[in-house]
Amino acid sequence: MTEQEFQHWAASHLAAIERSAGGAPVNVLVLSGGGGAGAFGAGVLSGWNRLGTRPRFQIVTGVSVGALIAPFAFLGAQWAPQLSIAFQGEKGPSLLKRRIFGWLAALLGWSVFRGAPLRALVDRNVTPALLRAVAARAASGRLLLVATTDLDSGDITVWNMGAIAAQGGLPALRLFRQVLIASASIPGVFPPVFIPVRAAHEIFDEMHVDGSASSAFLFAPGIVSILPQDLEPLHGGTIYLVINGHLRMRRKTTPNRTAAILLRSADTELASDSRARVKLVYSFALRQAMKLRVTEIPSSYRLGGFTTALEAAKMKALFAYGERCATERRVWGDALTVLSRVASQRSGSPHKAPQCPVRPIDGD
């Protein structure tokens, strides 16, 4: 989507977004990438639902694992049980089925892990009923946006999932699933997804991978930098930003091995990118007289990186942690408070239970 196309798109949708809010302030939910750490965001939504204070979101965006959570968040509290089952049920994630030769296979052109488990997870949870529900919500003016990275062009691609769902039928269901799988396919860890597109009367396959390869989350700078300066329908609204990971990596010794160095580098780059983009979203929120509430996984919670955090047991534990902190009202913090804390935080003791993202006095 070009800048001019996006400007036209934004203008045509703002009034619909305002109508969908029914006179109340607009709520925006932004779900970041983070591999298996996305179980945290899913847990937060589950706990928030249990509190009964979870708002209805007029705009939901997701990148990478955040894209897998986004449809359930978009559909509302009544779909919370499905989200919980997807992340911690008996058929919860078991995504790490290593290929023969592992990292050697990746270097030779394949991914380290097979793509079938991720496809099975998406196919099991993205049903025709979910597609119809997304289409119905989108018809009211609400937006569900997911990002992938087009490796052929090197650009981020933003998909209007509500528009896809509205097409209905098996082709729409197939494309909806393909986009979610592509957005969650960490390069080198899972295989890329080839999505057929038509251009100049030709059909060809584009190679799409993890949206967080282009952006830690879908809001800044791509959308923020090209939106009009004044978006009156958003005034007084709230942006809820879920960082499925650390905003600053805890200090640890990295083994002098290629795989460990690559994974640590990816985690560090994601954390740095997330901090920079939080500041951009905060600047946007100030211009639009909006509130920005942020949550992240503090360094006291020891994550194992992209691949180890994808293990089913670790994802279930992280889901339970996010759910508990949400029910204790210790999740959401003011953006400046969170960034200030992150700048001075230290790693917690491995013998102590991890702290929740914010103190009770700071949270909602």
Side-chain angles (χ1 to χ4, degrees):
M1 185 181 292
T2 66
E3 178 175 341
Q4 184 177 6
E5 290 171 337
F6 186 86
Q7 291 280 6
H8 176 74
W9 175 88
S12 66
H13 280 79
L14 275 174
I17 291 170
E18 188 175 26
R19 288 195 302 272
S20 71
V26 170
N27 292 303
V28 181
L29 177 66
V30 180
L31 298 157
S32 85
F40 168 73
V44 166
L45 287 170
S46 178
W48 206 359
N49 180 60
R50 289 174 57 183
L51 275 180
T53 58
R54 176 175 161 185
R56 188 176 74 160
F57 304 111
Q58 282 69 51
I59 304 173
V60 176
T61 78
V63 169
S64 191
V65 69
L68 302 183
I69 303 169
F72 299 101
F74 182 73
L75 293 177
Q78 62 268 39
W79 284 78
Q82 286 87 339
L83 178 62
S84 179
I85 292 170
F87 276 84
Q88 64 166 13
E90 291 183 2
K91 294 184 178 180
S94 181
L95 303 178
L96 301 185
K97 294 190 182 297
R98 190 180 294 272
R99 292 183 185 275
I100 299 174
F101 305 122
W103 283 98
L104 179 59
L107 293 174
L108 292 175
W110 305 310
S111 57
V112 176
F113 297 100
R114 299 181 184 276
L118 178 58
R119 290 197 302 271
L121 176 69
V122 171
D123 290 350
R124 186 166 59 245
N125 291 283
V126 178
T127 62
L130 182 141
L131 198 73
R132 290 192 296 270
V134 168
R137 302 300 193 282
S140 71
R142 296 164 61 198
L143 285 175
L144 172 60
L145 306 177
V146 164
T148 63
T149 299
D150 178 358
L151 285 184
D152 294 326
S153 68
D155 294 330
I156 189 169
T157 301
V158 180
W159 302 83
N160 185 336
M161 304 302 282
I164 294 173
Q167 296 174 14
L170 186 58
L173 180 63
R174 185 182 298 116
L175 178 58
F176 199 100
R177 288 171 172 173
Q178 282 183 308
V179 171
L180 294 185
I181 295 168
S183 188
S185 293
I186 303 166
V189 177
F190 295 115
V193 175
F194 292 91
I195 299 179
V197 298
R198 181 184 293 275
H201 306 293
E202 289 187 44
I203 296 178
F204 61 94
D205 289 334
E206 287 182 345
M207 181 185 291
H208 287 260
V209 297
D210 190 346
S212 62
S214 299
S215 178
F217 49 83
L218 181 57
F219 206 81
I223 291 181
V224 167
S225 63
I226 60 178
L227 281 172
Q229 288 296 307
D230 185 49
L231 300 172
E232 187 174 349
L234 300 183
H235 291 186
T238 303
I239 303 169
Y240 296 93
L241 175 54
V242 179
I243 303 296
N244 290 306
H246 300 315
L247 277 172
R248 184 175 297 279
M249 299 300 295
R250 68 180 182 86
R251 184 176 181 83
K252 72 172 186 178
T253 300
T254 303
N256 190 18
R257 298 193 299 269
T258 301
I261 293 170
L262 289 174
L263 291 173
R264 179 67 174 181
S265 298
D267 289 335
T268 301
E269 183 179 0
L270 183 62
S272 177
D273 186 46
S274 295
R275 291 196 305 274
R277 292 173 190 273
V278 169
K279 295 173 184 177
L280 285 169
V281 177
Y282 178 68
S283 175
F284 170 83
L286 286 179
R287 294 202 310 269
Q288 305 304 329
M290 300 181 76
K291 291 184 291 185
L292 175 59
R293 310 296 281 168
V294 180
T295 188
E296 58 119 13
I297 304 173
S299 61
S300 60
Y301 195 109
R302 291 173 174 261
L303 295 174
F306 277 125
T307 53
T308 53
L310 280 165
E311 296 170 7
K314 293 184 177 180
M315 291 182 70
K316 289 180 180 181
L318 194 50
F319 181 98
Y321 166 76
E323 187 176 53
R324 173 177 64 83
C325 291
T327 57
E328 293 177 1
R329 302 178 186 271
R330 299 178 62 190
V331 167
W332 299 108
D334 171 80
L336 290 185
T337 302
V338 171
L339 288 171
S340 177
R341 186 200 69 240
V342 165
S344 59
Q345 70 185 5
R346 298 291 183 268
S347 298
S349 168
H351 305 295
K352 293 183 179 180
Q355 300 175 350
C356 287
V358 300
R359 297 173 300 174
I361 192 172
D362 295 329
D364 287 335

